[in-house]
Structure formats: C-alpha cells, structure tokens
Amino acid sequence: MDHRAQRAAQRFEGRSAAPGVALGPLVHLAPARHDARQYRSAGEEHEALADALASSQADLTRLVGAVEDADAQAILSFQIALLEDDNLAAPAFALIAGGGAANRAWSAAIDPEIASYDQADDPYFRARASDLRDLRDRVLRHLAGEADRAVPAGAIVAADDMPPSMFLATDWRDGGLVLRRGTPSSHVAILARSRGVPMIVGVDVDHLGDGADALLDGDAGLLILDPDPDMRADGCRRRAQQSEARQAVASFSGPALTASGERVRVMINVTGLAELEGLDPADVDGIGLMRTEFLFQGREHLPTEEEQYQIYRRMVEWAAGRPVTIRTLDAGGDKPVAGLTQPGELNPFLGVRGVRLSLRHPDVFRAQLRALARAAVAGNLKVMIPMVTVPWELDRCRALFTEALDELQREGIKAQLPPIGMMVEVPAAALTIEDFNADFFSIGSNDLIQYVAAASRDEPQLLELARPSRAVFGLIGHVVEHADRTSRETSLCGDLAGDPLHVAALLDQGLRIFSVAPGALGPVRAAIAGYSGSAA
C-alpha cells in the first residue's frame, strides 16, 4: 500500500443528514459579500431596494413553478409570503430616508429578525433562520447586480450554509453537500433526502480548498479528501449498488399485491397539475391527497372560485374515473398565507390552522367549497377536511358545503355534494373516531406522530422521540378497525406511507390504501410485494 497516499487522505467527521455516497471534486463556496457602499440619492436608493425586492419575489415565484414536491414549494412560499409583508422592509426604507445605503439598510432591517429566529426556543422558528438568510442574500445580490452563484454538476459542495433556493436551483447529479451549519431536520436536509443527495452537517469547512478529490459518505457522516485507491474503489462500489437498488425499486410498477396476492391501493400526493405531466393515470390508483394551500401562496390576491374550479376539474378529468381526494385549505403552521394566516402565533403548529382557520374565514372557505362542488360533477371527487379535532367542526363544514351547493343550484350552476371525509392527525380525534360523521378517513402521520409524542419533528435533539411508535401504530390500527367495521375507507397520506421500512407495520394494522409522493411509488410497491403477513 502507498503510505504516502494513506497519509495524504484527510478525514472530516460530521453528522449524517442524507444517506448515500458521492465522489467528485470539492467546491468550497465562501460566503458572498455585498457590503460595497452605494452612492445614490435617497430616492434612487429607495427605488433600488424596491426593485430588488420585486425581482427577488419574481425569482422565487418562477422557482416555485419549476419544483414539484410540496416541501420545496412550502419553503419557497414562506419566503414569498415574507416579501409580501410590507412590515419586513419598512425599517429599511426608513433608514434609506435618513441617508442610509440600500444594501446596509436592508441588512440592518433583516439581521435582527434572523437573530431572533436563531435564538428562538421553538425549533420551528430556528429552522426558518436559514430561509431568512437566503432571502436577505438574494435581495443583496440584486442590489449589487450579482448573478446567483453556479455550482457545477457532479461536485461535492462545502459551505457554511446552503440556502434552500440555491439547493433547488442546483444540478445535484452525482454530487453531494457538506455544511458547517444545519441539522438533519433542516429544510435543506429534507430536500437532500427527497432527491437522493448525500449530505453531512457539522463540518469545519474553513480549511477545505477547491479542487481536491473528495469522497462523501452520507451514511457514516464522513468526508475524505484525497482518498486512496482502495477508498475510491469502495466508494464507487457502494455508489453503484445504491444506484442499482434505487433503479430496481423505482421501476416496480403495476398493481400492488402482497406476497399472498392481496390487493393494496397506492395513490399519489400532489400539489398541482404540473406534477401530473408525464404521469399516466393508469399507473396509479388515484390521487389520495391534493394539497390546495399552494394555490393560495405566493400571490398578491387569493385565488377566485373560478380559478380553483378550473384546477380541480382538470385534476378530476386527468384521473379518468379514479378517485381524487382534494384537501381543503390547510394553511397555518409552516404554511403561511399572506393576509389570511395569523402572524406571530406563539406555537403555530398548535394554533389557528387547517379547519380552524377556514371556519374563521367563511367567505374564503365558501369560495373553495363552491369550486369543489362544481368540480365534483366532472368525476370521482372526494373532499377531506384537515386538522379536525371535535365532531362539530366536521358537521359545520358539511352544513357549509350543503349551503354552497344550494346557492349554486339556485344560480343554475351544475354542482353536486362529494363525499366528505376528514384528516385524522389530532390524537383526540383518533381516540374518539366513532364520534365523527365522516364518509372516509385519511390519516396524516406527520402531525399525528409529533402530537402523540409531544416532540417537534423539527427539533434535532428529539429525533428519537419524533418517530413512529407503538402508540402511533396503535392509533392507526384503531382508526382502520373502526372504518372497516362501518364500511368506510381509510388511507394514510403522511410521510410514513412513503417509507418502505414501515410499510409492513402499516399493513399489520390493516391499512390497505397508501398515498405517497410520486417518487415513492416504486419503493412502496416493492415493499408491499415483499409483505407476507403479520409476524404476530
């Protein structure tokens, strides 16, 4: 063995944030600097900042349209909602009026906000600090006339932090990511896992130079610079194995059958029509969740009834008779909508969100219900209500839906009342499921898990608690058993449904309808095919 090569290899340990192996040149992204002093009049500085804010919003709006998954759209929509809030930039414009430069005024206005998010007790707010830094730097780049930094494909990128919008704009084929900041539960880590990009965090990147050969082991949380031939060969072998495994499960198509031949329905979660492009409706069992909140985000005005109707109708027509389950507006929590959600809630995940918000804005809710009733004429449409806690909430929604249908019929507009179901994501609802007058049930595992454990899924110190537990699976089984006994359907549309490692446990609880991200169809079908029954 070449001992000089062995000595030359440098190892940097971090924490795994996304699994996988990458080999390639290291690219170190130093923090951008935009502190050059501008020499313009106060009026010109004001106009420059206004233009930079408008350009940044246009950038983000284009990027929202270019990405497909809900996590990415939610992250970008949060930034757009901030830009739509005049209060964010008001201190900067005041400083400009006093003679300050636009770039320094903008930084002075937003840096305290970033600091407050960084220091917040609530991990939800701490996770948003990176989004604010991303937004700050985007506006500063526009003020300085700088282009977004480009990252070459196939590189292993090392940086202090990676803005979510930059991650989404990067070609990550065969690449990887090494960060000093961040956690395995950060937004960028979530995006990296969903795209199969190896990533580690907690690495001192200051002494990492450009151009070195690098091996990134996302499974072990390890970065190796100048790996020796044996290390490279092992990395290449593991990367090839992972690629083959992904291709094998991704190509798994056709009806989902267990090893004993039992049929299991696998549907998809979507946010809009763009995700259906290139997807044959015959390849899925329907749409188990259409998230409507993304129709409301990143806009100057809320969508009209007609706008919503056209989208819902086209979604139903695409499915060609297969069920399409559309969730009413689930804003709030980590999905703010400018002019609608309540800013400054102490605990947004336990605040005015989902059906709680819709019932407080009856005009907005009525427009959505009218659009849904009209679209129900076009095919197999079902509607589910999010964040239901007590029976009267669902009863009130059903009454409002009936009123909306009566209005439409009086106006001579074709419409019909679709089946009305509920999201089961609040433990109180799961425990008393027999009290709810729902036509069907859809379990939202993301919130159910964190509410059962009283542990935020965004807090890295509580990762072991914020996992599916026996208590969670017990509640799922309780809901499924009640639904089966009363001849109603139960599906699961949270992230748990798309995790092949938990498919068997869900099938053990009697679940026979899964709704997953389109990219998880193959892995979940493969896991179902390997299920031979409960080990109990």
Side-chain angles (χ1 to χ4, degrees):
M1 179 178 289
D2 188 340
H3 293 286
R4 289 176 300 174
Q6 187 178 29
R7 286 195 301 270
Q10 302 177 69
R11 302 166 68 93
F12 299 85
E13 294 185 359
R15 298 174 61 196
S16 174
V21 175
L23 285 159
L26 187 77
V27 174
H28 185 197
L29 297 181
R33 297 184 178 276
H34 320 283
D35 54 0
R37 177 68 171 94
Q38 306 295 322
Y39 296 96
R40 294 178 286 223
S41 68
E44 290 171 329
E45 294 284 354
H46 182 106
E47 183 177 359
L49 179 56
D51 289 345
L53 293 169
S55 296
S56 296
Q57 184 169 344
D59 290 346
L60 294 167
T61 301
R62 284 193 296 271
L63 197 52
V64 166
V67 298
E68 296 183 354
D69 65 87
D71 288 325
Q73 291 176 334
I75 291 166
L76 297 171
S77 295
F78 173 77
Q79 294 189 33
I80 293 172
L82 287 173
L83 286 172
E84 291 174 340
D85 185 353
D86 293 338
N87 293 325
L88 182 68
F93 285 119
L95 290 171
I96 290 172
N103 53 359
R104 294 181 180 175
W106 170 246
S107 292
I110 200 168
D111 282 349
E113 293 289 326
I114 295 173
S116 67
Y117 273 67
D118 269 329
Q119 297 165 9
D121 292 332
D122 192 325
Y124 163 78
F125 288 105
R126 290 202 302 274
R128 291 298 190 187
S130 179
D131 295 347
L132 281 167
R133 277 188 287 269
D134 188 4
L135 184 58
R136 176 198 62 194
D137 292 345
R138 178 174 294 278
V139 173
L140 290 174
R141 288 197 298 274
H142 277 292
L143 284 169
E146 298 176 1
D148 287 345
R149 290 173 289 174
V151 175
I156 295 176
V157 179
D160 187 69
D161 199 3
M162 170 68 72
S165 66
M166 185 178 181
F167 182 95
L168 292 167
T170 297
D171 182 351
W172 289 105
R173 283 175 295 179
D174 299 323
L177 182 59
V178 180
L179 298 181
R180 180 205 306 274
R181 303 173 63 93
T183 69
S185 61
S186 69
H187 288 148
V188 169
I190 293 170
L191 295 173
R193 288 193 293 273
S194 70
R195 286 160 171 75
V197 180
M199 174 181 167
I200 65 175
V201 297
V203 176
D204 183 358
V205 299
D206 286 345
H207 304 296
L208 303 180
D210 280 328
D213 286 336
L215 187 158
L216 175 61
D217 187 338
D219 301 308
L222 182 66
L223 172 69
I224 302 176
L225 298 188
D226 299 315
D228 64 36
D230 290 341
M231 295 174 181
R232 292 184 61 85
D234 181 66
C236 289
R237 177 185 57 79
R238 290 175 56 201
R239 185 172 64 177
Q241 289 175 341
Q242 291 168 356
S243 177
E244 290 173 4
R246 284 195 297 267
Q247 290 176 8
V249 297
S251 63
F252 197 98
S253 60
L257 301 173
T258 67
S260 62
E262 184 179 5
R263 181 78 161 87
V264 178
R265 292 161 62 189
V266 184
M267 301 190 286
I268 55 173
N269 301 333
V270 299
T271 59
L273 294 167
E275 291 172 86
L276 302 179
E277 294 180 7
L279 186 62
D280 187 342
D283 290 338
V284 300
D285 291 313
I287 296 174
L289 168 63
M290 189 273 184
R291 302 176 174 94
T292 63
E293 53 270 18
F294 298 104
L295 304 179
F296 289 72
Q297 293 179 311
R299 315 169 42 114
E300 292 185 8
H301 305 289
L302 298 179
T304 64
E305 173 190 327
E306 185 63 24
E307 287 178 292
Q308 294 185 67
Y309 162 67
Q310 293 295 338
I311 292 172
Y312 304 153
R313 177 183 57 79
R314 290 168 63 189
M315 192 81 61
V316 171
E317 290 175 345
W318 174 88
R322 296 168 185 82
V324 174
T325 303
I326 297 181
R327 184 174 67 189
T328 59
L329 180 61
D330 189 21
D334 58 347
K335 294 168 284 191
V337 174
L340 190 61
T341 51
Q342 299 183 183
E345 286 189 290
L346 293 177
N347 192 332
F349 281 105
L350 298 179
V352 182
R353 55 176 299 211
V355 68
R356 304 169 183 178
L357 183 72
S358 291
L359 292 177
R360 283 166 173 77
H361 295 272
D363 291 343
V364 175
F365 196 29
R366 184 177 297 108
Q368 182 170 43
L369 297 179
R370 284 171 58 95
L372 289 165
R374 292 169 61 188
V377 177
N380 190 357
L381 174 66
K382 302 163 69 176
V383 174
M384 65 180 173
I385 311 298
M387 202 64 184
V388 175
T389 305
V390 290
W392 71 259
E393 292 172 318
L394 188 61
D395 295 341
R396 181 58 181 151
C397 291
R398 190 179 293 276
L400 290 172
F401 222 144
T402 302
E403 291 174 11
L405 178 63
D406 291 343
E407 288 177 357
L408 290 165
Q409 291 176 338
R410 287 196 300 270
E411 295 167 14
I413 300 174
K414 291 183 179 180
Q416 67 185 42
L417 192 68
I420 302 171
M422 61 178 278
M423 291 283 290
V424 183
E425 49 198 337
V426 178
L431 287 166
T432 58
I433 196 66
E434 62 277 359
D435 294 341
F436 292 85
N437 180 28
D439 297 324
F440 63 93
F441 305 103
S442 180
I443 299 169
S445 60
N446 297 356
D447 278 330
L448 184 63
I449 289 170
Q450 71 171 349
Y451 292 151
V452 166
S456 171
R457 61 180 186 264
D458 295 320
E459 175 52 69
Q461 298 179 78
L462 302 178
L463 289 178
E464 292 302 316
L465 293 178
R467 297 182 186 277
S469 61
R470 188 162 66 91
V472 171
F473 284 115
L475 286 177
I476 292 171
H478 175 67
V479 174
V480 172
E481 189 276 333
H482 167 72
D484 289 348
R485 190 174 64 251
T486 56
S487 301
R488 286 178 277 187
E489 291 183 346
T490 302
S491 64
L492 196 151
C493 62
D495 290 343
L496 187 61
D499 187 342
L501 296 176
H502 294 296
V503 164
L506 292 170
L507 291 169
D508 283 347
Q509 298 302 323
L511 188 75
R512 293 298 182 268
I513 306 176
F514 292 66
S515 191
V516 304
L521 282 169
V524 169
R525 284 170 172 159
I528 291 169
Y531 177 76
S532 58
S534 173

